[in-house]
Amino acid sequence: MELAKSFEPAAIEAHWYPLWESRGYFKAATDPDKPAYCIMLPPPNVTGTLHMGHAFQDTLMDTLVRYHRMKGENTLWQPGTDHAGIATQIVVERQLDQKGVSRHDLGRDKFLERVWEWKEESGSTITRQMRRLGASCDWSRERFTMDEGLSKAVTEVFVKLYEQGLIYRGKRLVNWDPVLLTAVSDLEVISEEEDGFMWHIRYPVEDSDESLVVATTRPETMLGDMAVAVHPEDPRYLHLIGKQVRLPLCQRTIPVIADDYVDPAFGTGCVKITPAHDFNDYQVGQRHHLEPLSIFTLDAKINDLAPSEYQGLDRYEARKKIVADLDVEGLLVETKPHKLMVPRGDRTHAVIEPMLTDQWYVAMEGLAKRGLEVVAAGEVKFVPENWTHVYNQWLENIQDWCISRQLWWGHRIPAWYDEDGNFYVAHNQEAAQQQAGAGKKLRQDEDVLDTWFSSALWPFSTLGWPEKTPELDTFLPSSVLVTGFDIIFFWVARMVMMSEHFTGQVPFNEVYVHGLVRDMHGNKMSKSKGNVIDPIDLIDGIDLESLVTKRRTGLMNPKQAEAIAKQTRKDFPDGFPAFGTDAIRFTFASLASHGRDIKFDLQRCDGYRNFCNKLWNATRFVLMNTEGKDCGQNESLPLEFSAIDQWIIGRLQQAEKEVAEAFDSYRFDMAARAVYEFVWDEYCDWYVELAKVQINQGNEAQQRATRRTLVRVLEATLRLAHPIIPFITEELWQTVGPLAGKSGESIMLQPYPVADMNQVSEAANQQVMLLKEMTNACRTLRGEMNLSPALKVPLIALGDISALVPYLQALARISEVEIVQNELPAADAPVAVVGEIRLMLKIEVDKEAEQARLAKEIARLEGEIAKAQAKLANESFVARAPAAVVAQEKKRMESFGAIVEKMRAQLKRLK
């Protein structure tokens, strides 16, 4: 293969990915003789599209999978998608809404047909985008949470848990979304502070002139009040405990009860108790045997259990009327502005209503106990370790899990009811009929299971459970789960509990918890903020106006849309250039440090695109100097390795060791740094330049050894970097591999480099370190004397540097080197000191011109120092500026000071 002149990522990516997939390189095998390595892809929503969080997470998983595959392990990356009950149903309902049709108009069966159509139409988008990122999943094993096999596992788990007494049906208070008309979990409720009011209402004591004043932020719920509570030791109200108060606007009385729940120091010390519409009140009601009175319909209107004048009103219309009526009757004491936490559904943003409904629950106490035990025993480890505390805290305070949802899209609950209201839990209707007996007419429960119920089974249902399969034996537990901290409760804990309960094994050995990807300003990415970045736009590039249009699409508020357009033009005046997949992957890896959220900055992408170009150009140089030539393949011919060759071989071993250690500890940032520094700083900037000297000036054995070192180190480097940047490394390896004596169809099938620290030569390291220091010293001397880079000048050296002279001449633009034994000649030229060696450029210096130049430069730098000192002396600047900015200013001042000292010494010598 002939290497193109420039790196063109789009063509390379389009060529290689289909080949990798079609040749079966991603497929796992159940080979018992190989160690198993498995990662379960957190299944994205089937109707979703790739966002930066997915791209970041997928890059890390693919890096691990490619690394372990090359290590010869039996590797499975299990892909699949989630049916995402609520999210998907909302999407399809909105589509119907635009046509003026509701799901109820269609009926359940027709609606579900539409959802399946939508799933087939858009369901492959995210997996297609994952392929663009280079994800090497075993696509032949792709699963969907409502596949036949996974649905069978869901039914099996439900039936078994019910038979074990761990699933039950009960009327309990739940979070109710009055728009979706379904229960939602605590984890799907977002509570945010909003401005509201606190209404103080008088409750007259029956048969008395006294009254109690209660404060509430929700006066409409008073229609369902069943008591007023006071603290049992509050002296103000002891005489009223057990008496009745008249419930305003209602023709009934309610008792005054005593309960420790009441804080006597807060407000008036009196609390209205509405068991059917408040979670705390529900608990109080249970303790005092109060019958809950639900006064809302499921769509949050006042029902027929409330006074007739409020029936049918929306809850907020009812609030206005109730407050007005209280005022007319003289029972509204005062209204005060009040900040309160308002719970909203994360999908609809509707205010959640605590609602008393019949639901299905999983009893969690025993499951949670086992979930805590396996983590305490180290069977499941969190990385970073601090997330263990978050996991434990949730399981220690866990509530029973409400698993039923009043939706149509999802796994329908396997329970059937007869005409008398009795229910039968079974694998299918036939089995339910056998339980019920002949002649009973059955109907299946209308509700579906919480999406997270099927997701909790993902680690073993995808491997064929409840059947006993070779995959289950091989890949459970999986090696690591890569996930964000935001679903430790939703998903991680539930997988641990379910897997342990049904298979007797933990689902994974380790959980690597990564940070969130934020925008360049540190803000969370969201459509409403207009700061979302599509990873595919970074790969392919997008012009500014297309980017602005994309970000404004779907925004209803014109002012918000304009503000987003303005910010986008400011942040990305040229849109996004086409960075290519490898540069994006390298950027993600470099940002993946433990425990930190990630500020995504395009400058990093640009830097790693430059890295890819550097690697490409270095490979072209190597090929130009090695193709068609003896690269040491013939072992019978002599090879004469220099200290320079030994140094780069040893430096490669060090890089291989650092990368392996970084991958094994999930320090992707350190692995990326090790690859970057070796390729850019050592191989390209130093070894390639030094190799030119050996190829041009060495004897045949030296040239042969240099060419062998060039290609073999480069080939190993490509294998080393492949897990992070798979496309460019594959393209380059196809040409470099054969030159280095490697055979095979793909770099993916090659072994991962293993460090051999016996190949590290300390003597060679010392020699190259000395050469680097001398080269940099000569370059500094040239800079101090304002010499043109094109001008070659002679050098006088005190000390034995004869072995390094050819390299020094090439790297520092030295015409000749004179080595002296005792001391340097008296001259006006500046001298550099490198250990025991003294270096001086042999040129005539115009003393007056040089003194004038130095004086001018010293004055300029002293001005910069004065500016920096003034900034650092400004307390306001030091207090308000980010710590990194203050540190940078100090560093600048110190650097300028050091340069000034050197120049003063030079000026002194000239005088």
Side-chain angles (χ1 to χ4, degrees):
M1 288 177 63
E2 187 176 338
L3 206 57
K5 286 185 178 179
S6 60
F7 173 48
E8 299 294 342
I12 292 169
E13 291 161 20
H15 172 74
W16 281 111
Y17 194 92
L19 279 180
W20 289 334
E21 187 175 354
S22 64
R23 289 174 179 173
Y25 295 161
F26 304 160
K27 287 186 179 179
T30 52
D31 184 345
D33 296 328
K34 287 184 178 180
Y37 186 85
C38 176
I39 294 181
M40 292 282 167
L41 174 76
N45 290 357
V46 68
T47 56
T49 54
L50 199 74
H51 59 61
M52 291 293 278
H54 289 130
F56 174 59
Q57 185 170 271
D58 293 350
T59 295
L60 304 187
M61 284 186 279
D62 191 55
T63 297
L64 289 172
V65 164
R66 287 177 181 272
Y67 167 62
H68 284 275
R69 191 184 285 124
M70 291 177 77
K71 284 178 71 179
E73 295 172 22
N74 193 20
T75 305
L76 167 64
W77 186 8
Q78 173 64 55
T81 48
D82 194 295
H83 67 279
I86 290 178
T88 304
Q89 180 158 322
I90 286 175
V91 168
V92 178
E93 285 201 61
R94 283 177 182 163
Q95 291 174 351
L96 292 173
D97 191 47
Q98 289 172 357
K99 299 175 182 177
V101 179
S102 77
R103 64 179 163 117
H104 300 286
D105 295 333
L106 287 181
R108 185 170 192 141
D109 291 343
K110 288 287 184 187
F111 176 76
L112 289 178
E113 283 177 21
R114 291 295 292 269
V115 182
W116 278 105
E117 285 172 14
W118 170 244
K119 183 261 176 187
E120 294 305 320
E121 179 188 321
S122 70
S124 60
T125 301
I126 198 160
T127 51
R128 189 167 61 247
Q129 291 173 323
M130 282 181 66
R131 286 173 166 89
R132 289 295 315 277
L133 270 176
S136 60
C137 308
D138 184 349
W139 296 110
S140 68
R141 296 187 47 81
E142 186 177 356
R143 299 290 183 266
F144 175 52
T145 48
M146 286 179 63
D147 280 348
E148 184 181 343
L150 272 64
S151 296
K152 180 183 176 183
V154 167
T155 301
E156 179 70 15
V157 165
F158 188 98
V159 172
K160 279 196 172 179
L161 287 174
Y162 177 76
E163 289 171 351
Q164 293 163 359
L166 293 174
I167 279 184
Y168 63 92
R169 184 165 172 79
K171 187 181 280 290
R172 299 263 295 274
L173 209 57
V174 296
N175 297 305
W176 186 264
D177 188 317
V179 173
L180 284 176
L181 298 178
T182 181
V184 293
S185 75
D186 291 346
L187 301 171
E188 294 165 294
V189 177
I190 300 168
S191 293
E192 293 181 343
E193 189 175 75
E194 297 182 16
D195 291 324
F197 294 94
M198 182 77 80
W199 287 274
H200 293 252
I201 305 168
R202 190 182 307 283
Y203 286 51
V205 178
E206 183 80 338
D207 301 323
S208 167
D209 295 333
E210 290 187 82
S211 61
L212 296 176
V213 176
V214 302
T216 180
T217 58
R218 306 182 66 217
E220 64 278 12
T221 63
M222 65 175 290
L223 304 179
D225 284 0
M226 300 308 291
V228 172
V230 297
H231 193 275
E233 295 173 8
D234 190 335
R236 294 172 294 177
Y237 306 119
L238 288 176
H239 66 293
L240 294 177
I241 295 171
K243 296 199 172 183
Q244 297 280 315
V245 293
R246 291 195 298 279
L247 182 61
L249 310 181
C250 301
Q251 303 303 312
R252 61 190 177 91
T253 62
I254 55 177
V256 179
I257 62 173
D259 196 281
D260 289 335
Y261 162 66
V262 180
D263 179 359
F266 182 77
T268 62
C270 301
V271 178
K272 61 190 279 305
I273 302 300
T274 319
H277 297 292
D278 183 275
F279 289 100
N280 292 319
D281 291 4
Y282 180 78
Q283 297 298 329
V284 174
Q286 294 288 97
R287 289 195 290 273
H288 294 271
H289 309 291
L290 300 175
E291 188 69 31
L293 176 66
S294 182
I295 52 96
F296 288 127
T297 60
L298 295 180
D299 57 352
K301 291 184 171 67
I302 306 298
N303 67 20
D304 56 8
L305 296 178
S308 58
E309 56 266 45
Y310 306 112
Q311 291 175 15
L313 291 178
D314 173 79
R315 54 186 163 169
Y316 296 115
E317 287 300 314
R319 175 182 293 181
K320 289 177 187 175
K321 183 167 174 51
I322 286 166
V323 169
D325 291 349
L326 286 169
D327 196 24
V328 169
E329 293 196 16
L331 297 174
L332 184 63
V333 178
E334 63 177 328
T335 304
K336 290 182 176 178
H338 181 76
K339 288 194 179 296
L340 67 158
M341 298 302 289
V342 178
R344 293 184 180 272
D346 66 348
R347 298 289 178 185
T348 61
H349 303 293
V351 174
I352 295 299
E353 194 63 59
M355 197 77 78
L356 205 56
T357 56
D358 287 310
Q359 302 288 347
W360 291 91
Y361 292 88
V362 178
M364 299 302 292
E365 187 178 351
L367 294 169
K369 184 183 177 189
R370 188 69 191 121
L372 287 164
E373 288 171 354
V374 295
V375 170
E379 293 179 56
V380 176
K381 294 178 181 174
F382 283 83
V383 181
E385 202 273 334
N386 60 290
W387 290 109
T388 307
H389 174 68
V390 176
Y391 171 91
N392 288 343
Q393 201 171 36
W394 188 65
L395 284 187
E396 285 162 1
N397 297 284
I398 201 165
Q399 303 291 315
D400 283 359
W401 178 13
C402 175
I403 55 170
S404 46
R405 296 290 182 270
Q406 289 63 52
L407 303 170
W408 287 354
W409 173 245
H411 295 98
R412 200 160 170 184
I413 288 174
W416 284 262
Y417 297 84
D418 63 22
E419 291 163 308
D420 300 322
N422 302 309
F423 62 81
Y424 310 93
V425 171
H427 288 89
N428 50 50
Q429 185 162 354
E430 185 182 352
Q433 194 70 61
Q434 288 177 359
Q435 290 182 39
K440 293 255 182 145
K441 189 176 180 183
L442 299 182
R443 62 174 179 83
Q444 189 174 355
D445 196 309
E446 294 287 321
D447 293 349
V448 300
L449 286 163
D450 178 9
T451 296
W452 296 100
F453 189 89
S454 52
S455 302
L457 319 183
W458 188 252
F460 53 97
S461 64
T462 52
L463 299 175
W465 188 93
E467 308 302 326
K468 291 203 173 291
T469 64
E471 289 84 0
L472 203 60
D473 289 340
T474 304
F475 296 115
L476 187 77
S478 62
S479 308
V480 62
L481 177 74
V482 178
T483 185
F485 64 83
D486 49 335
I487 55 173
I488 288 175
F489 316 127
F490 276 115
W491 194 43
V492 178
R494 288 166 177 168
M495 282 191 288
V496 172
M497 291 184 281
M498 289 296 188
S499 184
E500 178 65 31
H501 188 75
F502 284 100
T503 71
Q505 296 189 80
V506 294
F508 28 71
N509 295 319
E510 293 184 302
V511 182
Y512 170 64
V513 183
H514 58 72
L516 295 179
V517 182
R518 298 181 178 272
D519 71 9
M520 61 194 290
H521 305 293
N523 299 314
K524 188 175 179 180
M525 291 188 183
S526 70
K527 285 184 180 177
S528 61
K529 288 180 180 174
N531 61 350
V532 169
I533 294 176
D534 181 343
I536 305 302
D537 288 342
L538 293 175
I539 293 170
D540 294 339
I542 186 171
D543 65 84
L544 176 61
E545 290 313 310
S546 298
L547 179 61
V548 168
T549 301
K550 196 170 187 177
R551 288 185 161 191
R552 292 176 63 154
T553 301
L555 295 174
M556 305 302 289
N557 185 328
K559 282 188 178 178
Q560 182 190 21
E562 191 50 48
I564 284 169
K566 186 178 178 182
Q567 188 64 47
T568 300
R569 290 190 175 99
K570 181 182 176 184
D571 288 345
F572 310 109
D574 302 315
F576 302 156
F579 292 111
T581 297
D582 287 323
I584 302 306
R585 287 175 60 116
F586 212 141
T587 303
F588 281 134
S590 73
L591 292 169
S593 57
H594 279 189
R596 291 184 186 174
D597 282 355
I598 291 132
K599 274 189 188 179
F600 195 84
D601 190 343
L602 285 196
Q603 288 183 346
R604 295 291 284 263
C605 301
D606 206 35
Y608 291 115
R609 182 178 59 172
N610 292 341
F611 172 88
C612 291
N613 288 331
K614 183 97 167 175
L615 180 59
W616 187 272
N617 292 332
T619 303
R620 278 177 53 79
F621 165 79
V622 171
L623 295 176
M624 282 190 290
N625 283 277
T626 55
E627 279 187 304
K629 296 174 183 170
D630 183 0
C631 294
Q633 290 98 329
N634 188 342
E635 300 290 343
S636 64
L637 294 173
L639 293 163
E640 192 177 317
F641 293 98
S642 69
I644 309 298
D645 299 325
Q646 292 169 1
W647 161 74
I648 197 65
I649 292 167
R651 185 63 187 81
L652 172 65
Q653 309 313 308
Q654 185 63 36
E656 290 171 354
K657 179 173 179 283
E658 289 172 8
V659 171
E661 287 173 351
F663 282 154
D664 292 342
S665 58
Y666 306 108
R667 289 304 304 265
F668 301 92
D669 56 333
M670 302 302 287
R673 181 192 291 180
V675 169
Y676 185 98
E677 289 180 352
F678 177 74
V679 171
W680 191 295
D681 298 345
E682 308 290 27
Y683 187 80
C684 294
D685 279 2
W686 287 100
Y687 184 70
V688 166
E689 296 304 314
L690 296 169
K692 291 175 184 176
V693 176
Q694 298 184 160
I695 287 172
N696 291 329
Q697 299 181 29
N699 60 39
E700 280 191 19
Q702 289 169 339
Q703 290 180 28
R704 192 179 297 115
T706 300
R707 285 193 289 267
R708 178 185 170 113
T709 304
L710 271 170
V711 295
R712 294 204 173 194
V713 170
L714 177 58
E715 188 278 332
T717 302
L718 295 174
R719 286 184 284 126
L720 186 69
H722 176 76
I724 300 175
I725 45 174
F727 290 107
I728 188 173
T729 50
E730 178 72 274
E731 182 75 9
L732 297 178
W733 187 87
Q734 293 295 321
T735 311
V736 174
L739 286 174
K742 300 290 183 182
S743 59
E745 292 181 343
S746 168
I747 193 173
M748 282 186 65
L749 307 179
Q750 300 301 310
Y752 200 71
V754 178
D756 177 3
M757 301 312 285
N758 290 323
Q759 292 195 61
V760 177
S761 165
E762 195 52 43
N765 287 349
Q766 291 297 326
Q767 198 162 353
V768 172
M769 187 188 300
L770 177 61
L771 174 59
K772 284 183 175 183
E773 288 177 357
M774 288 196 301
T775 302
N776 290 331
C778 288
R779 288 170 177 172
T780 301
L781 291 175
R782 295 180 66 102
E784 288 176 358
M785 301 180 76
N786 270 351
L787 298 180
S788 164
L791 179 66
K792 286 191 173 185
V793 294
L795 175 75
I796 303 173
L798 175 62
D800 184 11
I801 63 165
S802 53
L804 302 176
V805 165
Y807 306 109
L808 193 58
Q809 284 183 277
L811 296 176
R813 304 291 292 165
I814 302 297
S815 58
E816 58 184 279
V817 177
E818 179 188 346
I819 299 174
V820 296
Q821 297 303 320
N822 298 316
E823 59 181 29
L824 293 172
D828 298 323
V831 175
V833 179
V834 179
E836 299 296 316
I837 294 163
R838 304 287 185 272
L839 303 171
M840 184 174 74
L841 296 179
K842 188 178 178 183
I843 58 172
E844 291 293 324
V845 176
D846 182 334
K847 285 189 179 183
E848 288 185 10
E850 184 63 7
Q851 286 178 37
R853 185 190 71 79
L854 288 170
K856 185 178 178 182
E857 185 62 11
I858 288 168
R860 186 188 72 79
L861 290 173
E862 285 176 337
E864 292 295 324
I865 291 168
K867 284 181 195 173
Q869 286 173 334
K871 270 190 183 179
L872 294 169
N874 184 334
E875 292 180 8
S876 175
F877 168 76
V878 175
R880 293 183 183 181
V885 172
V886 175
Q888 187 180 8
E889 201 62 35
K890 286 180 180 175
K891 195 173 178 181
R892 262 180 92 238
M893 188 175 74
E894 289 166 4
S895 172
F896 289 151
I899 294 170
V900 166
E901 285 305 309
K902 281 187 179 180
M903 287 187 166
R904 281 190 179 135
Q906 205 173 327
L907 190 59
K908 187 177 178 182
R909 281 197 306 273
L910 287 170
K911 289 179 177 178

